[in-house]
Amino acid sequence: MIQNLVDGVLVGSVLSLGAVGLTMVMHMLRFANFSHAELLSIGAYSALVFDALFSAMMPPLTAAIGPLSMTWALALSVVFSLVITGLSALLIDRLVFKRVREKGSELSMVFASFGVAMIIRNVVGLIFGLGTHLYSKDIVFAVVLSRDPLLLVKPDQVFTLVAALLIMLIMHFVLSRTTLGYSLRAVAENPTLAQVNGIRLSHMIALVWLVGGGLAAVAGIFYGLSNQISPMIGRDLVLPIFAATIVGGIGSIYGAVLGGFIVGISASLALAILPSGYSPSMPFLIILAVLLIRPNGLFGEEQT
Amino acid sequence: MVDIALTANNVVAGYVPDLPILKDVSMQARREAVTVIIGPNGAGKSTLIKAIAGLLPVSAGTITHGDRDITHMRPDLLTGQGISYVPQMDNIFRTLTIRQNLDLALRKVGRDAPARLDDLYARFPVLADKRNDKAGALSGGQRQFLAVAMALATAPKLILMDEPSAGLSPKAAQEVLECARGLTDQGVTILLVEQNVNQALRMADHCYILAEGCNQVDGSAADMLNDPIVGEIYLGAKRMRAS
Amino acid sequence: MIGLLSYAVFFTTVASILAIAVLGLNLQWGNTGLFNGGVVAFFGAGAYGTLILGSAAQPDQFGGFNLFYPAALIGGMVVAGLLAWVVGILTLRLRHDYLAIATFGIAVTFENIMRNAEWLSGGAKGIRGFEQPLRDAFGGGLAYNAAFLAFVVAALIAVYQFLQHLVSSPFGRLLRAIREDEGAARSLGKAPSRVRLTAFITGSVIMGLSGGLYATFYAFVSPQDVLPTLTFQIWAMLIVGGAGNNRGAVLGAFLIWGAWTASGWSLSRFAPIEAQLYTGSIQYILIGSVIVGMLLWRPQGLFPERLVVSQSGKPGATKKQGV
């Protein structure tokens, strides 16, 4: 039970990172982006490529960092992957979403995002194969935290959690202390008013894609670190990430962070009761529960 | 010759390309004066002010500020031209604190920002008292003051106000309108749209009446207030009761 | 020759069954502006519902109701309608993307439950239903398949007529009014969420009919039949045909199903062996590109909606064509 809780916290940190980007896009551009989870996949795979590249070019970098399975090469790859994924998100917006936005309704955007997700997922599958990959084939042994009850934690998992919390802390600082953060929140709340206050909308939209893509990349890599990398990352995570945004309330960044942990933890805890085959159903049950009890989420505002 | 701050010539504009709400409107706003636009619902008053602010596409006609053509200007460049726009109702960021709202408005002011912030707090003490509260917690009148303070942050020459008294109690409406009136003494030109015809005409210098997207009548606000025909058509029973 | 003819019958049967689902989606998206991201859940509810209700008792298997075929088919539609009611009542009051997410979620969950709940659905191995009705009367074979095709086409025509009638009725005008301007519709004293719920359930029941016919045709349904891909294919059919236009929806179904089978066939025939594994991926990329391309360059579809101007309508009110 406690093991489930620990696992849930770790899954939660990945979901939170994904949900923060998604909730920002959903709020600012007002559409449910079904292709957001594919950005996690882009992030995970581009880190894989950079990791191989750096390891080949600079063999000393293949040394693992402390007790982690993560190598210096992979750590460096995270930075590059973050940029590549952010730029990919921006590029997808320019190529597809921006044009659909100028032409059609918000629902056409939802639809377009389905198409985009399908294309990305299968292009990734074509390039990297349908099988799974790992960043490191070395087995890192879990640290036994306690024997009764048995509690195992891998150093990678602790690192993931700490890094995720650190990123959220930085996000919090930017949003609550800087005028750039105020501008982002302002555009999310009321784009027209933000514009007449001198904020250039197109720049803010680009920024949101960059930030959302960057966070998704980190989430994707962390997911790959504790699980496997496969073209199905997007398919498997799209619903849990949506659930996290709905739990938190669409548009609330803090809600998305909390929502990610709530979905991660409750899905893991539920597995203590339900057979593990049912885990893909958990996010939907959580969504249903939220819609029944508190439709606008924990921090969401009423919107139509 | 009168010094003109803003001129609109034969402006055609609307939300959808082939469906203009504003069919043909021309108007001028005199420098350092209050010009009010009134008219029945659907006359195109808000459309006009949004078109001036660059929030709606203008399909024909020109809008000039001083001697600059601002007809197709992007709305985020407005403040750089010395124009501030105060939208109707949702004109503050509710999820930000008052201080954050003001910081946002002062973003591009640069070195003068701290002094200007103090200045705004001095002018609106109620905002200073509640600076760390969420703006959404303010009362209707206080929100309008915050909106005006945000508009003043960039030291504009012209402020466009869309129904500043909407949803306010008569007393709060009076305070907001008086505040706007007072700004003209500091060299600011005010152009406002109002439903609250009586109060608006009493504080304005000049008045335009629109109907069905076209100019109807214009003249000095005082004349309008006393014109029996205008009174009957546009001011309605409310005015009768008042007099 | 006989082979070609029987393939044509087979193809037309499946395309017509899918066309029914596309018509149901058209009522939701084309006429009402509701985004159903989980068409396959309602299709699947109809399919599983029909088979479970219509089949005889089997060991370790829920069901065995052995209902008369039409009753089983209607039962499947009712199951689909109930599912739509639950989702609709929770989400239709909220921001539009909640419906998109919730329907997507229910499709994932439906497939997941069907795959795992062996007592209910046979799990991954699927559920073997009842023999195709009246099979003996036609002696099986091509004659039977042709008769079944006639039945499916009759159902398609009936649904088409029903929807044409519905769309031109006052209710249809109300749907469009809500789609175009919810605020205005509300100010006329109409409750948009109730009207939308009705349209959503009706569309889902039609999808349930499509699923029921599909399961009857194959006398079998498994989780492989209710993968999210099917939602995607049905969407592509509608968007290619032209949202809002029932004729376009049917044509789109035939066109996309034709393209899908043709691409699958040519990839399996001409692609090198080592690439065969990726046939599915290539097909998905193609269909994703079709959808994105249509939205970018021809959002009204190949056969756009033709709006009938009602007597009271101003010309401006019908400006916005399609979606």
Side-chain angles (χ1 to χ4, degrees), chain B residues 38-66:
Chain B
I38 58 177
N41 273 332
K45 307 178 300 272
S46 284
T47 311
L48 174 63
I49 208 156
K50 280 184 189 142
I52 295 172
L55 293 170
L56 288 178
V58 175
S59 44
T62 55
I63 300 163
T64 49
H65 175 233

Side-chain angles (χ1 to χ4, degrees), chain B:
Chain B
M1 187 180 155
V2 200
D3 199 6
I4 302 301
L6 183 87
T7 310
N9 276 324
N10 307 100
V11 171
V12 181
Y15 295 86
V16 209
D18 317 322
L19 198 68
I21 305 215
L22 224 51
K23 291 174 189 120
D24 177 15
V25 172
S26 300
M27 50 100 24
Q28 293 183 320
R30 198 146 44 83
R31 208 174 286 281
E32 293 169 33
V34 176
T35 305
V36 64
I37 299 163
I38 58 177
N41 273 332
K45 307 178 300 272
S46 284
T47 311
L48 174 63
I49 208 156
K50 280 184 189 142
I52 295 172
L55 293 170
L56 288 178
V58 175
S59 44
T62 55
I63 300 163
T64 49
H65 175 233
D67 40 15
R68 272 190 93 104
D69 186 343
I70 59 160
T71 314
H72 301 289
M73 174 127 60
R74 268 204 338 256
D76 55 287
L77 298 178
L78 215 58
T79 48
Q81 296 293 322
I83 305 174
S84 286
Y85 165 66
V86 183
Q88 189 183 348
M89 303 300 271
D90 278 332
N91 48 22
I92 50 145
F93 298 107
R94 281 169 293 132
T95 53
L96 302 182
T97 67
I98 288 150
R99 171 77 201 265
Q100 288 169 340
N101 268 284
L102 291 172
D103 280 345
L104 196 62
L106 287 162
R107 200 166 47 110
K108 288 186 177 160
V109 171
R111 198 179 299 183
D112 296 343
R116 192 99 38 98
L117 182 65
D118 289 340
D119 192 39
L120 290 172
Y121 280 149
R123 193 194 289 257
F124 303 102
V126 62
L127 300 182
D129 296 345
K130 299 190 172 189
R131 65 184 78 181
N132 291 322
D133 291 6
K134 283 260 158 36
L138 293 176
S139 74
Q142 290 165 344
R143 284 184 195 201
Q144 292 296 342
F145 284 129
L146 176 57
V148 172
M150 285 167 73
L152 286 173
T154 47
K157 292 261 167 264
L158 169 66
I159 300 183
L160 311 169
M161 301 175 96
D162 194 352
E163 297 202 26
S165 75
L168 297 187
S169 69
K171 182 168 168 288
Q174 190 62 36
E175 282 173 11
V176 171
L177 290 174
E178 274 168 15
C179 165
R181 167 86 254 178
L183 295 174
T184 56
D185 301 335
Q186 293 148 41
V188 181
T189 307
I190 305 277
L191 174 65
L192 75 130
V193 159
E194 259 305 338
Q195 293 272 26
N196 196 339
V197 174
N198 236 310
Q199 272 181 315
L201 282 182
R202 284 178 206 282
M203 56 79 78
D205 298 300
H206 201 82
C207 168
Y208 286 86
I209 296 177
L210 303 188
E212 298 189 357
C214 298
N215 288 80
Q216 293 299 310
V217 203
D218 73 282
S220 95
D223 290 352
M224 290 282 189
L225 203 55
N226 297 319
D227 186 325
I229 297 169
V230 171
E232 200 170 309
I233 298 174
Y234 296 106
L235 310 188
K238 219 172 177 181
R239 186 177 131 83
M240 298 310 194
R241 242 182 285 122
S243 53

